[in-house]
Amino acid sequence: MKLVFNYSGGFYAYLIRFFTKGLYTHCGVVIGDTLYQAQIFKGAYKKEWRPEMWDVIYVDIPEEKEKKVKKFLDKEVGSGYDWVGILHFIFKFLKPSRKRWFCSELCAKALVEAGILNKKESLIYFSPESLFRRISKKYYNKT
């Protein structure tokens, strides 16, 4: 399994960098040759992964854990975008959705399914940058 991160341009990327004070503006999970991600206006979806423009963290997990992560991600494909959750970075009183995802929230939940993150860690507080920092301490390989 891979966690992938990028830092694109554009208005939304600028806002993400401004409010999270980080470089990375987007992240996803790659299993095999499939990229799972959540994006504004698309929600959670999957597509063929192309490695250009991504920084990669290789996460070595047992096959049964990877199957569990894939099952979770496949189930979430088609879920909406968590607008309320993303606004939580600005308005702390807002509560995230349990049925919608923003990118780093989806990735963090995948890491819970993989046994990498603790279930008690609040997924809502992970931006792409903070998730990268948390996971890269153990797994980072830039390609």
Side-chain angles (χ1 to χ4, degrees):
M1 180 173 92
K2 301 175 193 82
L3 287 181
V4 294
F5 298 84
N6 73 19
Y7 41 92
S8 60
F11 179 72
Y12 292 113
Y14 170 79
L15 288 176
I16 292 167
R17 273 196 293 278
F18 178 81
F19 285 106
T20 64
K21 298 177 180 34
L23 172 67
Y24 293 108
T25 58
H26 187 61
C27 57
V29 177
V30 176
I31 297 178
D33 62 353
T34 302
L35 169 62
Y36 295 88
Q37 59 186 338
Q39 280 187 313
I40 295 171
F41 305 117
K42 288 186 178 181
Y45 70 103
K46 65 182 181 178
K47 69 177 194 173
E48 182 180 342
W49 181 59
R50 297 181 185 169
E52 58 275 354
M53 302 288 295
W54 294 95
D55 289 343
V56 179
I57 297 178
Y58 296 91
V59 181
D60 187 25
I61 57 174
E63 187 178 337
E64 67 272 3
K65 293 273 188 176
E66 188 169 270
K67 286 179 182 177
K68 183 178 180 185
V69 172
K70 184 179 183 325
K71 182 178 179 182
F72 159 73
L73 291 168
D74 282 333
K75 181 176 81 74
E76 295 305 321
V77 166
S79 298
Y81 190 77
D82 188 4
W83 287 99
V84 175
I86 200 77
L87 289 173
H88 176 82
F89 286 99
I90 303 167
F91 305 108
K92 301 295 185 196
F93 61 88
L94 294 174
K95 301 289 183 197
S97 171
R98 298 274 185 232
K99 297 180 180 181
R100 297 172 176 266
W101 304 97
F102 57 86
C103 67
S104 51
E105 187 181 31
L106 182 67
C107 292
K109 178 61 175 165
L111 290 170
V112 169
E113 296 293 323
I116 305 293
L117 292 179
N118 186 309
K119 287 182 182 182
K120 293 182 181 182
E121 292 185 82
S122 181
L123 306 180
I124 188 72
Y125 292 108
F126 284 110
S127 68
E129 181 71 24
S130 64
L131 187 62
F132 176 84
R133 288 181 184 173
R134 172 77 161 74
I135 301 305
S136 66
K137 291 176 184 178
K138 184 173 182 181
Y139 296 102
Y140 183 58
N141 289 304
K142 189 173 182 178
T143 58

